[in-house]
Amino acid sequence: MNTTESAEEIQVSGSFIAEFPSGEEADFTYDTDSIPVLPMKESVAYPGLPQPVKIENEEFEKLIEAAYNSKECIFAVTQSDRTDHPSKVKDFFPVGVVCKVVKIIRIPGTVPVAFLLSGERARLRKIVKKTPVLIGAVDPLDVIDCSTFGTEEEVLLENINNTFAQILNYISEQERNRISFSVEEMDKFVDRKIYFMANNSPLQVDDKARLLECGDIKNLLETFLKMLDMALQKLEIQAAIHMRTHEDLNRQQREHFLQQQIKAIQDELGDNSEGSDEDELLERAKKMQWSKAARAHFDKELRKLERFNPQNPEYSIQYSYLDNLLNLPWEKYSADSFTLSKVEKILNRDHYGLETVKERIIEQMAVIKLRNDMKAPIICLYGPPGVGKTSLGKSIADALGREYARVSLGGLHDEAEIRGHRRTYIGAMPGRIIAALAKCGTGNPVFVLDEIDKIGKDFKGDPSTALLEVLDPEQNGAFHDNYIDFDYDLSKILFIATANNLSDISRPLLDRMEIIEIGGYIPEEKVEIAKRHLVPKSLREHGFPENEISFAKDALEYIIERYTRESGVRQLEKKIAKVLRKIARLKASNKPYPSKISKEKVKELLGKEEVNPDFYENNRFAGVVTGLAWTQVGGEILFIETSLSPGKGDKLTLTGNLGDVMKESAAIALQYLKAHANRFGINPEIFSKADIHIHVPEGAIPKDGPSAGVTMATSLASAFLGKKVRDKLAMTGEITLRGKVLPVGGIKEKILAAKRAGITDIILSNANKKDIEEINERYLKGLTFHYVETVDEVLDFALLPELAENRFDF
């Protein structure tokens, strides 16, 4: 307890005068009929001593802040009832102390602390007001008179000093020296010395509060001595109990030693009627197939277990460790017995479409078969949600005849989840990799690391750095789990990671994996997937016999186009389930229900359409051009509109929630047209007489990406020239300041979006021709592709000589 730095206090004109630690005088004058009340739950304020108080709620904070700013007094009184909101006189001890707030300390991450300078004692008479803070009326009490200090008081004080010195023997030497020094400095102020001792004694809060009720020095000394004697007796009893329990522990150790001797004698006599835990572990170890180093490690840890008493907590920790060692599949591998035709058959059975992905997986299986070992590179399946990345791992395990293990990494932020906890921690366990291997029982399963792009990190570490060792074929032959504390071979495992967004994966981790992109499904593929997989699965899950309910092709197409917007089929499965739930209700109620679901029945069961498909709009207006965009849920068409208005030509307005890349595309397109205005027949005066506004509709949806350059250039040129754009034309590509058209990605999805919207002509960069050649010809019917190298070629084809209705006149 810190001693106060205030100067000598004196009684002057009924008000208590003291000094702040800074040296200025603290005037304890206050209104006895109205003073803020500060309830104290676990502490007591004493006259003449500084008192720290934790500010634990808003009510305390308001009261203390107001008192600190106004330098007015507050009444600190201990609660007799530990309620959170005391409001009656009976909720407090009768006597408290008038105080001033001298300092408030705030440290980020901790509870603020206020320091009070205590003045005179006072008795709480009544509660005047309850909100927003407690206001009370008090009666001041006389200062304890120490001038009547006689022989009896001296004897009492000496006994208190002796008893307090004995109590201090139960604390550390450093703390004892600090308190003793402070007590000696207070010999001149007996009452303050008693209060200081009380604050540093193992007394109950209630006993400390009752000391304030003592009005004369003799009563104070007698009351405090009784409390100290009781506290000393409790400490002596606790010390005696501790010594007895320590002796009991020593006796247990002796008993354990004797039990070990008895066991040795029984072994000599051949008495093995009752097996121990150690014997059981030893028998399991004999059946294990592991290396000499692993066996030596196990034997060493088993000897440690034998030295522990079974009643010792360390025994159960060591036993669990050895049990985990024996549960691991050391040198236990399942044989790969597969043919490429079987792999292809299983992949086609479980997944429709995904031809490129299946081909890559079959190639990898061929390498494994030719090399005749089980090592394989780490594959990362990357694509939008719901396209079958996780289920591909199951199919591969089935095709190879290996066990299947899966760990979800989404939201993982503790490195120990991968590497395990050290055995020194309570509740330690192996990491998820080792735990999954123990569960599947073989050392070469197909191991799916799901959602690897959603790993987090915090002060506990970065799990992605721990995965670097797991996913590196050059390192995972000796993976070190902190719990197992012994190298384990992970090189025989076929790791398959899944991710939705590669940009969220750390570059070193991405470098260790082979990326296989899984694109979204086209509507025709979704229909087949629904027929082959989703509908039969939903029928089983909803209690229908096989083939009792069927969906017409146009019904499935209607659900896909008007009720879902996704690259995968997860939402489609939910909508099919919703239809079957409604039919199940009819069947369970013994009402007639349809056995074949038509397009009209879908609309009746699912209600209003949830998705508005993209439709091409007419080309009557200048400055309106159709672009193609790629999104996480597939391809979409995108309209870009340009309008001109009278102005000085120095203003370019971009709206539609555009990202930085699209804003840069607009600036590049405008600058290119300004630089080559004469080539395209644009009157240069328009740039100084018209302000430009570029808008991309659906402003609530964020839009960004490097594929709108040619679309924006065409939109601007159409507006400047007042010409119409060719009917049913869409385009995609980025441009440079030199007018070169660059290739873009997501071509397949963009082509399908254009086909759905009724587009017939598409402008692409010549470098994207190879992407079109990879797409099945049936998806390209009705589309004509125009490959370009420069913006000049784009405008030559896209702009018609016909003038539009809304051209700008200047």
Coordinates of all heavy atoms in Angstrom, one line a residue, residues 529-606:
I529 N -26.5 -32.7 -63.9 CA -26.1 -33.0 -62.5 C -27.4 -33.1 -61.7 O -27.4 -34.0 -60.8 CB -25.2 -31.8 -62.0 CG1 -23.9 -31.8 -62.7 CG2 -25.0 -31.9 -60.5 CD1 -23.0 -30.6 -62.4
A530 N -28.4 -32.3 -61.9 CA -29.6 -32.4 -61.1 C -30.3 -33.7 -61.3 O -30.7 -34.4 -60.4 CB -30.5 -31.3 -61.4
K531 N -30.4 -34.2 -62.6 CA -31.0 -35.4 -62.9 C -30.3 -36.6 -62.4 O -30.9 -37.5 -61.8 CB -31.1 -35.6 -64.5 CG -32.2 -34.8 -65.1 CD -32.2 -35.1 -66.6 CE -33.3 -34.4 -67.3 NZ -33.4 -34.7 -68.8
R532 N -28.9 -36.6 -62.5 CA -28.1 -37.8 -62.1 C -27.9 -37.9 -60.6 O -27.8 -39.0 -60.0 CB -26.8 -37.8 -62.8 CG -27.0 -37.8 -64.3 CD -25.6 -37.9 -65.0 NE -25.7 -37.8 -66.4 CZ -24.7 -38.2 -67.3 NH1 -23.6 -38.7 -66.8 NH2 -24.8 -38.1 -68.6
H533 N -27.7 -36.7 -60.0 CA -27.2 -36.7 -58.6 C -28.2 -36.0 -57.6 O -28.5 -36.6 -56.6 CB -25.8 -36.1 -58.5 CG -24.8 -36.7 -59.4 ND1 -24.3 -38.0 -59.1 CD2 -24.2 -36.3 -60.5 CE1 -23.4 -38.3 -60.0 NE2 -23.4 -37.3 -60.9
L534 N -28.5 -34.8 -57.9 CA -29.2 -34.0 -56.9 C -30.7 -34.5 -56.6 O -31.1 -34.6 -55.4 CB -29.3 -32.5 -57.3 CG -27.9 -31.9 -57.6 CD1 -28.1 -30.4 -58.0 CD2 -27.0 -32.0 -56.4
V535 N -31.4 -34.8 -57.7 CA -32.8 -35.2 -57.4 C -32.8 -36.6 -56.7 O -33.6 -36.7 -55.7 CB -33.6 -35.3 -58.8 CG1 -34.9 -35.9 -58.6 CG2 -33.7 -33.9 -59.4
P536 N -32.1 -37.6 -57.2 CA -32.1 -38.9 -56.4 C -31.6 -38.7 -54.9 O -32.2 -39.3 -54.0 CB -31.1 -39.8 -57.2 CG -31.1 -39.2 -58.6 CD -31.3 -37.7 -58.4
K537 N -30.6 -37.9 -54.7 CA -30.2 -37.7 -53.3 C -31.3 -37.0 -52.5 O -31.5 -37.4 -51.4 CB -28.9 -36.8 -53.4 CG -28.4 -36.5 -52.0 CD -27.2 -35.5 -52.1 CE -26.7 -35.1 -50.7 NZ -25.6 -34.1 -50.8
S538 N -31.9 -36.0 -53.1 CA -33.0 -35.3 -52.3 C -34.2 -36.2 -52.1 O -34.8 -36.1 -51.0 CB -33.4 -34.0 -53.1 OG -32.4 -33.1 -53.1
L539 N -34.5 -37.1 -53.0 CA -35.6 -38.0 -52.8 C -35.3 -38.9 -51.6 O -36.2 -39.2 -50.8 CB -35.8 -38.9 -54.1 CG -36.5 -38.2 -55.3 CD1 -36.4 -39.1 -56.5 CD2 -37.9 -37.8 -54.9
R540 N -34.1 -39.4 -51.5 CA -33.7 -40.3 -50.4 C -33.8 -39.5 -49.1 O -34.3 -40.0 -48.1 CB -32.3 -40.8 -50.5 CG -32.2 -41.9 -51.6 CD -30.8 -42.6 -51.5 NE -29.7 -41.6 -51.6 CZ -29.1 -41.3 -52.8 NH1 -29.6 -41.8 -53.9 NH2 -28.1 -40.4 -52.8
E541 N -33.3 -38.3 -49.1 CA -33.3 -37.5 -47.8 C -34.7 -37.1 -47.4 O -34.9 -36.8 -46.2 CB -32.4 -36.3 -48.0 CG -30.9 -36.6 -48.2 CD -30.1 -35.4 -48.4 OE1 -30.7 -34.3 -48.7 OE2 -28.8 -35.5 -48.4
H542 N -35.6 -37.0 -48.3 CA -37.0 -36.6 -47.9 C -38.0 -37.7 -47.8 O -39.2 -37.5 -47.8 CB -37.5 -35.5 -48.9 CG -36.7 -34.2 -48.8 ND1 -35.5 -34.0 -49.4 CD2 -37.0 -33.1 -48.2 CE1 -35.1 -32.8 -49.2 NE2 -36.0 -32.2 -48.4
G543 N -37.5 -38.9 -47.8 CA -38.4 -40.1 -47.6 C -39.2 -40.6 -48.7 O -40.2 -41.2 -48.5
F544 N -38.8 -40.3 -50.0 CA -39.5 -40.7 -51.2 C -38.8 -41.9 -51.7 O -37.5 -42.0 -51.8 CB -39.6 -39.6 -52.2 CG -40.5 -38.5 -51.9 CD1 -39.9 -37.3 -51.4 CD2 -41.8 -38.6 -52.1 CE1 -40.7 -36.2 -51.1 CE2 -42.7 -37.5 -51.7 CZ -42.1 -36.3 -51.2
P545 N -39.5 -42.9 -52.2 CA -38.9 -44.0 -52.9 C -38.2 -43.5 -54.2 O -38.6 -42.5 -54.7 CB -40.1 -45.0 -53.3 CG -41.2 -44.6 -52.3 CD -41.0 -43.1 -52.0
E546 N -37.3 -44.3 -54.7 CA -36.6 -43.9 -55.9 C -37.5 -43.8 -57.1 O -38.4 -44.6 -57.3 CB -35.5 -44.9 -56.2 CG -34.6 -44.6 -57.4 CD -33.5 -45.6 -57.6 OE1 -33.4 -46.6 -56.8 OE2 -32.7 -45.4 -58.6
N547 N -37.4 -42.7 -57.9 CA -38.2 -42.5 -59.1 C -39.7 -42.1 -58.8 O -40.5 -42.1 -59.8 CB -38.1 -43.6 -60.1 CG -36.7 -43.9 -60.5 OD1 -35.9 -42.9 -60.7 ND2 -36.3 -45.1 -60.8
E548 N -40.0 -42.0 -57.5 CA -41.4 -41.6 -57.3 C -41.8 -40.2 -57.8 O -42.9 -39.9 -58.3 CB -41.8 -41.7 -55.8 CG -43.2 -41.4 -55.5 CD -43.6 -41.5 -54.0 OE1 -42.6 -41.8 -53.2 OE2 -44.7 -41.3 -53.7
I549 N -40.8 -39.3 -57.7 CA -41.0 -37.9 -58.2 C -39.9 -37.7 -59.2 O -38.8 -38.0 -59.0 CB -40.8 -36.9 -57.0 CG1 -41.8 -37.3 -55.8 CG2 -41.1 -35.5 -57.5 CD1 -43.2 -37.1 -56.1
S550 N -40.3 -37.1 -60.3 CA -39.4 -36.7 -61.4 C -39.6 -35.3 -61.8 O -40.7 -34.7 -61.6 CB -39.5 -37.6 -62.6 OG -40.8 -37.5 -63.2
F551 N -38.5 -34.7 -62.3 CA -38.5 -33.3 -62.7 C -38.4 -33.2 -64.2 O -37.5 -33.9 -64.8 CB -37.4 -32.5 -62.1 CG -37.6 -32.2 -60.6 CD1 -37.5 -33.1 -59.6 CD2 -37.9 -30.9 -60.3 CE1 -37.7 -32.8 -58.3 CE2 -38.1 -30.5 -58.9 CZ -38.0 -31.5 -57.9
A552 N -39.3 -32.5 -64.9 CA -39.1 -32.2 -66.3 C -37.9 -31.4 -66.6 O -37.5 -30.6 -65.7 CB -40.4 -31.6 -66.9
K553 N -37.3 -31.5 -67.8 CA -36.1 -30.8 -68.1 C -36.4 -29.3 -68.1 O -35.5 -28.5 -67.5 CB -35.6 -31.2 -69.5 CG -34.3 -30.5 -69.9 CD -33.9 -30.9 -71.3 CE -32.6 -30.2 -71.7 NZ -32.1 -30.6 -73.0
D554 N -37.5 -28.8 -68.6 CA -37.8 -27.4 -68.6 C -38.0 -26.9 -67.2 O -37.7 -25.7 -66.9 CB -38.9 -27.1 -69.5 CG -40.2 -27.7 -69.0 OD1 -40.1 -28.7 -68.2 OD2 -41.3 -27.3 -69.5
A555 N -38.5 -27.8 -66.3 CA -38.6 -27.4 -64.9 C -37.3 -27.1 -64.2 O -37.1 -26.1 -63.5 CB -39.4 -28.4 -64.1
L556 N -36.3 -28.0 -64.5 CA -35.0 -27.8 -63.9 C -34.3 -26.5 -64.5 O -33.7 -25.8 -63.8 CB -34.1 -29.0 -64.2 CG -34.5 -30.3 -63.4 CD1 -33.7 -31.5 -63.9 CD2 -34.4 -30.1 -61.9
E557 N -34.5 -26.3 -65.8 CA -33.9 -25.1 -66.4 C -34.5 -23.9 -65.9 O -33.9 -22.9 -65.7 CB -34.2 -25.2 -68.0 CG -33.4 -26.3 -68.7 CD -33.7 -26.4 -70.1 OE1 -34.8 -25.8 -70.5 OE2 -33.0 -27.0 -70.9
Y558 N -35.8 -23.9 -65.6 CA -36.5 -22.8 -65.0 C -36.0 -22.5 -63.6 O -35.8 -21.3 -63.2 CB -38.0 -23.1 -65.0 CG -38.9 -21.9 -64.5 CD1 -38.9 -20.7 -65.3 CD2 -39.6 -22.0 -63.4 CE1 -39.7 -19.7 -64.9 CE2 -40.4 -20.9 -63.0 CZ -40.5 -19.8 -63.7 OH -41.2 -18.7 -63.3
I559 N -35.8 -23.5 -62.8 CA -35.2 -23.3 -61.4 C -33.8 -22.7 -61.6 O -33.5 -21.7 -60.8 CB -35.1 -24.6 -60.7 CG1 -36.5 -25.2 -60.4 CG2 -34.4 -24.4 -59.3 CD1 -36.5 -26.6 -59.8
I560 N -33.0 -23.2 -62.5 CA -31.6 -22.7 -62.6 C -31.6 -21.2 -63.1 O -30.8 -20.4 -62.5 CB -30.9 -23.6 -63.7 CG1 -30.7 -25.0 -63.1 CG2 -29.5 -23.0 -64.0 CD1 -30.2 -26.0 -64.1
E561 N -32.5 -20.9 -64.0 CA -32.4 -19.5 -64.6 C -33.1 -18.5 -63.7 O -32.7 -17.3 -63.6 CB -33.1 -19.5 -66.0 CG -32.3 -20.3 -67.0 CD -33.0 -20.4 -68.3 OE1 -34.1 -19.8 -68.4 OE2 -32.5 -21.1 -69.3
R562 N -34.2 -18.9 -63.1 CA -35.0 -17.9 -62.4 C -35.0 -18.0 -60.8 O -35.5 -17.1 -60.2 CB -36.5 -18.0 -62.8 CG -36.7 -17.8 -64.3 CD -36.2 -16.4 -64.7 NE -36.3 -16.2 -66.2 CZ -37.3 -15.6 -66.8 NH1 -38.3 -15.2 -66.0 NH2 -37.3 -15.5 -68.1
Y563 N -34.3 -19.0 -60.3 CA -34.3 -19.1 -58.8 C -32.9 -19.2 -58.2 O -32.7 -19.2 -57.0 CB -35.1 -20.3 -58.3 CG -36.6 -20.1 -58.6 CD1 -37.2 -20.5 -59.7 CD2 -37.4 -19.4 -57.6 CE1 -38.6 -20.3 -59.9 CE2 -38.8 -19.2 -57.8 CZ -39.3 -19.7 -59.0 OH -40.7 -19.5 -59.2
T564 N -31.9 -19.4 -59.1 CA -30.5 -19.5 -58.6 C -29.6 -18.6 -59.4 O -29.9 -18.3 -60.6 CB -30.0 -20.9 -58.7 OG1 -29.9 -21.3 -60.0 CG2 -30.9 -21.9 -57.9
R565 N -28.5 -18.1 -58.8 CA -27.5 -17.4 -59.5 C -26.1 -17.8 -58.9 O -25.7 -17.3 -57.8 CB -27.6 -15.9 -59.4 CG -26.5 -15.1 -60.0 CD -26.8 -13.6 -60.1 NE -27.7 -13.3 -61.2 CZ -28.1 -12.1 -61.5 NH1 -27.7 -11.1 -60.8 NH2 -28.9 -11.9 -62.5
E566 N -25.5 -18.8 -59.5 CA -24.3 -19.4 -58.8 C -23.5 -20.1 -59.9 O -24.0 -20.5 -61.0 CB -24.7 -20.4 -57.7 CG -25.6 -21.5 -58.2 CD -25.9 -22.5 -57.2 OE1 -25.3 -22.5 -56.1 OE2 -26.9 -23.3 -57.4
S567 N -22.2 -20.4 -59.6 CA -21.4 -21.2 -60.5 C -21.6 -22.7 -60.2 O -21.5 -23.5 -61.1 CB -19.9 -20.8 -60.3 OG -19.7 -19.5 -60.7
G568 N -21.8 -23.0 -58.9 CA -22.0 -24.4 -58.6 C -23.4 -24.8 -58.6 O -24.2 -24.3 -59.3
V569 N -23.7 -25.8 -57.8 CA -25.1 -26.4 -57.8 C -25.7 -26.4 -56.3 O -26.7 -27.1 -56.1 CB -25.1 -27.8 -58.4 CG1 -24.8 -27.7 -59.9 CG2 -24.2 -28.7 -57.7
R570 N -25.0 -25.7 -55.4 CA -25.5 -25.8 -54.0 C -26.9 -25.2 -53.8 O -27.8 -25.8 -53.2 CB -24.5 -25.2 -53.1 CG -24.7 -25.5 -51.6 CD -23.5 -25.1 -50.8 NE -22.4 -26.0 -51.0 CZ -21.1 -25.7 -51.0 NH1 -20.7 -24.4 -50.8 NH2 -20.1 -26.6 -51.2
Q571 N -27.1 -24.0 -54.4 CA -28.4 -23.4 -54.3 C -29.5 -24.2 -55.1 O -30.6 -24.3 -54.7 CB -28.4 -22.0 -54.8 CG -27.5 -21.0 -54.0 CD -28.0 -20.9 -52.6 OE1 -29.2 -20.9 -52.3 NE2 -27.0 -20.9 -51.6
L572 N -29.1 -24.8 -56.2 CA -30.0 -25.6 -57.0 C -30.5 -26.8 -56.2 O -31.7 -27.1 -56.2 CB -29.3 -26.1 -58.3 CG -30.1 -27.1 -59.1 CD1 -31.4 -26.5 -59.6 CD2 -29.2 -27.5 -60.3
E573 N -29.6 -27.4 -55.4 CA -30.0 -28.5 -54.5 C -31.0 -28.1 -53.5 O -31.9 -28.8 -53.1 CB -28.7 -29.1 -53.9 CG -29.0 -30.3 -53.0 CD -27.7 -31.0 -52.5 OE1 -26.7 -30.3 -52.6 OE2 -27.8 -32.0 -51.8
K574 N -30.8 -26.9 -52.9 CA -31.7 -26.3 -51.9 C -33.1 -26.1 -52.5 O -34.1 -26.3 -51.8 CB -31.1 -25.0 -51.3 CG -29.9 -25.2 -50.5 CD -29.3 -23.9 -49.9 CE -28.1 -24.1 -49.1 NZ -27.5 -22.8 -48.6
K575 N -33.1 -25.6 -53.7 CA -34.4 -25.3 -54.3 C -35.2 -26.6 -54.6 O -36.4 -26.7 -54.5 CB -34.3 -24.5 -55.6 CG -33.7 -23.1 -55.4 CD -34.5 -22.3 -54.4 CE -33.9 -21.0 -54.1 NZ -34.6 -20.2 -53.1
I576 N -34.4 -27.7 -55.1 CA -35.0 -29.0 -55.3 C -35.6 -29.5 -54.0 O -36.7 -30.1 -53.9 CB -34.0 -29.9 -56.0 CG1 -33.7 -29.5 -57.4 CG2 -34.5 -31.4 -56.0 CD1 -32.6 -30.2 -58.1
A577 N -34.8 -29.4 -52.9 CA -35.2 -29.8 -51.6 C -36.5 -29.1 -51.2 O -37.4 -29.7 -50.6 CB -34.1 -29.7 -50.6
K578 N -36.5 -27.8 -51.5 CA -37.7 -27.0 -51.1 C -39.0 -27.5 -51.8 O -40.0 -27.6 -51.2 CB -37.5 -25.5 -51.4 CG -38.6 -24.6 -50.9 CD -38.2 -23.2 -51.2 CE -39.4 -22.2 -50.7 NZ -39.1 -20.8 -51.0
V579 N -38.8 -27.9 -53.1 CA -40.0 -28.4 -53.8 C -40.4 -29.7 -53.2 O -41.6 -30.0 -53.0 CB -39.6 -28.6 -55.3 CG1 -40.6 -29.4 -56.0 CG2 -39.4 -27.3 -56.0
L580 N -39.4 -30.6 -52.9 CA -39.8 -31.9 -52.3 C -40.4 -31.8 -50.9 O -41.2 -32.6 -50.5 CB -38.5 -32.8 -52.3 CG -38.0 -33.2 -53.7 CD1 -36.8 -34.1 -53.6 CD2 -39.1 -33.9 -54.5
R581 N -40.0 -30.8 -50.2 CA -40.6 -30.6 -48.8 C -42.1 -30.3 -48.9 O -42.9 -30.8 -48.2 CB -39.8 -29.5 -48.1 CG -38.5 -29.9 -47.5 CD -38.0 -29.0 -46.4 NE -38.0 -27.6 -46.9 CZ -36.9 -27.0 -47.5 NH1 -35.8 -27.8 -47.7 NH2 -36.9 -25.8 -47.9
K582 N -42.4 -29.5 -49.9 CA -43.8 -29.1 -50.1 C -44.6 -30.3 -50.5 O -45.8 -30.5 -50.1 CB -43.9 -27.9 -51.1 CG -43.3 -26.6 -50.5 CD -43.5 -25.5 -51.5 CE -43.0 -24.2 -50.9 NZ -43.7 -23.8 -49.7
I583 N -44.0 -31.2 -51.4 CA -44.7 -32.4 -51.9 C -44.8 -33.4 -50.7 O -45.8 -34.1 -50.6 CB -44.0 -33.0 -53.1 CG1 -44.0 -32.0 -54.2 CG2 -44.6 -34.3 -53.5 CD1 -43.2 -32.4 -55.5
A584 N -43.8 -33.5 -49.9 CA -43.8 -34.4 -48.7 C -44.9 -34.0 -47.8 O -45.6 -34.8 -47.2 CB -42.4 -34.3 -48.0
R585 N -45.2 -32.7 -47.6 CA -46.3 -32.2 -46.8 C -47.6 -32.7 -47.3 O -48.5 -33.2 -46.5 CB -46.2 -30.7 -46.6 CG -47.4 -30.2 -45.8 CD -47.3 -28.7 -45.7 NE -48.4 -28.1 -44.9 CZ -48.6 -26.8 -44.6 NH1 -47.7 -25.9 -45.1 NH2 -49.6 -26.4 -43.9
L586 N -47.8 -32.6 -48.6 CA -49.0 -33.1 -49.2 C -49.2 -34.6 -49.0 O -50.3 -35.1 -48.7 CB -49.0 -32.8 -50.7 CG -49.1 -31.3 -51.1 CD1 -48.9 -31.1 -52.6 CD2 -50.4 -30.6 -50.6
K587 N -48.1 -35.3 -49.2 CA -48.1 -36.8 -49.1 C -48.4 -37.2 -47.7 O -49.2 -38.1 -47.4 CB -46.8 -37.4 -49.6 CG -46.8 -38.9 -49.6 CD -45.5 -39.5 -50.1 CE -45.5 -41.0 -50.0 NZ -44.3 -41.6 -50.5
A588 N -47.8 -36.5 -46.7 CA -48.0 -36.9 -45.3 C -49.4 -36.5 -44.8 O -49.9 -37.1 -43.9 CB -46.9 -36.2 -44.4
S589 N -50.0 -35.6 -45.5 CA -51.4 -35.2 -45.2 C -52.5 -36.0 -45.9 O -53.7 -35.6 -45.9 CB -51.6 -33.7 -45.4 OG -50.7 -32.9 -44.7
N590 N -52.0 -37.0 -46.7 CA -52.9 -37.9 -47.5 C -53.7 -37.0 -48.5 O -54.8 -37.3 -48.8 CB -53.9 -38.6 -46.6 CG -53.2 -39.6 -45.7 OD1 -52.2 -40.3 -46.2 ND2 -53.6 -39.7 -44.5
K591 N -53.0 -36.0 -49.1 CA -53.6 -35.2 -50.1 C -52.9 -35.6 -51.5 O -51.8 -36.1 -51.5 CB -53.4 -33.7 -49.8 CG -54.1 -33.2 -48.6 CD -53.8 -31.7 -48.4 CE -54.6 -31.2 -47.1 NZ -54.3 -29.8 -46.9
P592 N -53.6 -35.4 -52.6 CA -53.0 -35.7 -53.9 C -51.7 -34.8 -54.1 O -51.7 -33.7 -53.8 CB -54.1 -35.4 -54.9 CG -55.0 -34.5 -54.2 CD -55.0 -34.8 -52.7
Y593 N -50.7 -35.4 -54.7 CA -49.5 -34.7 -55.0 C -49.0 -35.1 -56.4 O -49.2 -36.3 -56.8 CB -48.4 -35.0 -53.9 CG -48.1 -36.5 -53.8 CD1 -47.0 -37.0 -54.5 CD2 -48.8 -37.3 -53.0 CE1 -46.6 -38.3 -54.4 CE2 -48.4 -38.7 -52.8 CZ -47.4 -39.2 -53.6 OH -47.0 -40.5 -53.5
P594 N -48.3 -34.2 -57.1 CA -47.8 -34.6 -58.4 C -46.6 -35.5 -58.4 O -45.8 -35.4 -57.5 CB -47.4 -33.2 -59.0 CG -47.0 -32.4 -57.8 CD -47.9 -32.9 -56.6
S595 N -46.5 -36.4 -59.4 CA -45.4 -37.3 -59.5 C -44.4 -36.7 -60.5 O -43.2 -37.2 -60.5 CB -45.8 -38.7 -59.9 OG -46.5 -38.6 -61.2
K596 N -44.8 -35.8 -61.4 CA -43.8 -35.2 -62.3 C -43.9 -33.7 -62.2 O -45.0 -33.1 -62.3 CB -44.2 -35.6 -63.8 CG -43.1 -35.2 -64.8 CD -43.4 -35.8 -66.1 CE -42.4 -35.3 -67.2 NZ -41.0 -35.9 -66.9
I597 N -42.8 -33.1 -61.9 CA -42.8 -31.6 -61.7 C -42.5 -30.9 -63.0 O -41.5 -31.1 -63.6 CB -41.7 -31.3 -60.7 CG1 -41.8 -32.2 -59.4 CG2 -41.8 -29.8 -60.3 CD1 -43.1 -32.0 -58.7
S598 N -43.5 -30.1 -63.4 CA -43.4 -29.3 -64.6 C -43.0 -27.9 -64.3 O -42.9 -27.5 -63.1 CB -44.8 -29.3 -65.3 OG -45.7 -28.6 -64.5
K599 N -42.7 -27.1 -65.3 CA -42.3 -25.7 -65.1 C -43.3 -24.9 -64.4 O -43.0 -24.1 -63.5 CB -42.0 -25.1 -66.5 CG -41.6 -23.6 -66.5 CD -41.4 -23.1 -67.9 CE -41.1 -21.6 -67.9 NZ -40.8 -21.1 -69.2
E600 N -44.7 -25.1 -64.7 CA -45.7 -24.4 -64.1 C -45.8 -24.8 -62.6 O -46.1 -24.0 -61.7 CB -47.1 -24.7 -64.8 CG -47.2 -24.1 -66.2 CD -46.3 -24.8 -67.2 OE1 -46.0 -26.0 -66.9 OE2 -46.0 -24.2 -68.2
K601 N -45.6 -26.1 -62.3 CA -45.7 -26.6 -60.9 C -44.5 -26.0 -60.1 O -44.7 -25.7 -58.9 CB -45.6 -28.1 -60.9 CG -46.1 -28.7 -59.6 CD -47.6 -28.5 -59.5 CE -48.2 -29.0 -58.2 NZ -49.6 -28.7 -58.0
V602 N -43.3 -25.8 -60.7 CA -42.2 -25.2 -60.0 C -42.6 -23.8 -59.5 O -42.4 -23.4 -58.4 CB -41.0 -25.2 -60.9 CG1 -39.9 -24.2 -60.3 CG2 -40.4 -26.5 -61.0
K603 N -43.2 -23.0 -60.4 CA -43.6 -21.6 -60.1 C -44.6 -21.6 -59.0 O -44.6 -20.8 -58.1 CB -44.1 -20.9 -61.3 CG -44.3 -19.4 -61.1 CD -44.5 -18.7 -62.4 CE -44.6 -17.2 -62.2 NZ -44.8 -16.5 -63.5
E604 N -45.5 -22.6 -59.0 CA -46.5 -22.7 -58.0 C -45.9 -23.0 -56.6 O -46.3 -22.5 -55.6 CB -47.6 -23.7 -58.4 CG -48.7 -24.0 -57.3 CD -49.6 -25.1 -57.7 OE1 -49.7 -25.4 -58.9 OE2 -50.1 -25.7 -56.8
L605 N -44.9 -23.9 -56.6 CA -44.4 -24.4 -55.3 C -43.3 -23.4 -54.8 O -43.2 -23.2 -53.6 CB -43.7 -25.8 -55.5 CG -44.7 -26.9 -55.8 CD1 -44.0 -28.2 -56.2 CD2 -45.7 -27.1 -54.7
L606 N -42.5 -22.8 -55.7 CA -41.4 -21.9 -55.2 C -41.8 -20.5 -55.1 O -41.1 -19.7 -54.5 CB -40.2 -22.1 -56.1 CG -39.5 -23.4 -56.1 CD1 -38.3 -23.4 -57.0 CD2 -39.1 -23.8 -54.7

